Amino acid sequence: MSARLPSIFSRLWHQVREIPDVKVNLLRASELGSYARAVIPGWVLPLGMIGGWLVFPALTQSFKTEVLGFKAPPSGTKFAFEKEAVGEVPAMTEESSPAMRGSR
């Protein structure tokens, strides 16, 4: 049975490719892809990914949820840090983290 699946799908694919509208759309898609590869240099995609990686943390949470459509964070907790003196590691305040209250 598993040996017949590729032959079934290939036969179906060849039948679908013979439909005139499908032929036209496949030709348009291949031309668009070859045009994009010819016009856009190879360094654009990696540069865009690096730019997105660097810019994403600077976006506000409201922009991420409203414009980009990401889910809101599961907790509405805001974290506040106290720093007593220069060079000390910041510690979380007691009221800023409800999860920390039970751990002490």
Side-chain angles (χ1 to χ4, degrees):
M1 175 77 177
S2 64
R4 292 183 48 195
L5 282 177
S7 66
I8 291 171
F9 288 122
S10 66
R11 192 171 346 132
L12 180 65
W13 175 244
H14 290 296
Q15 290 174 353
V16 168
R17 281 190 359 201
E18 295 303 318
I19 299 172
D21 290 339
V22 174
K23 275 185 177 180
V24 169
N25 289 330
L26 285 174
L27 184 61
R28 286 180 183 167
S30 66
E31 287 176 0
L32 180 64
S34 61
Y35 174 75
R37 283 190 301 272
V39 171
I40 300 172
W43 51 266
V44 170
L45 180 64
L47 185 65
M49 291 175 65
I50 291 170
W53 182 266
L54 295 174
V55 168
F56 188 77
L59 299 176
T60 62
Q61 191 60 42
S62 63
F63 182 82
K64 289 177 186 177
T65 55
E66 293 170 5
V67 177
L68 299 179
F70 289 114
K71 292 181 182 177
S75 147
T77 306
K78 294 187 178 186
F79 298 102
F81 294 96
E82 287 182 358
K83 194 170 186 181
E84 297 295 327
V86 176
E88 284 189 17
V89 179
M92 293 186 71
T93 59
E94 188 66 32
E95 64 272 355
S96 68
S97 176
M100 296 280 296
R101 289 182 196 152
S103 65
R104 290 185 183 195

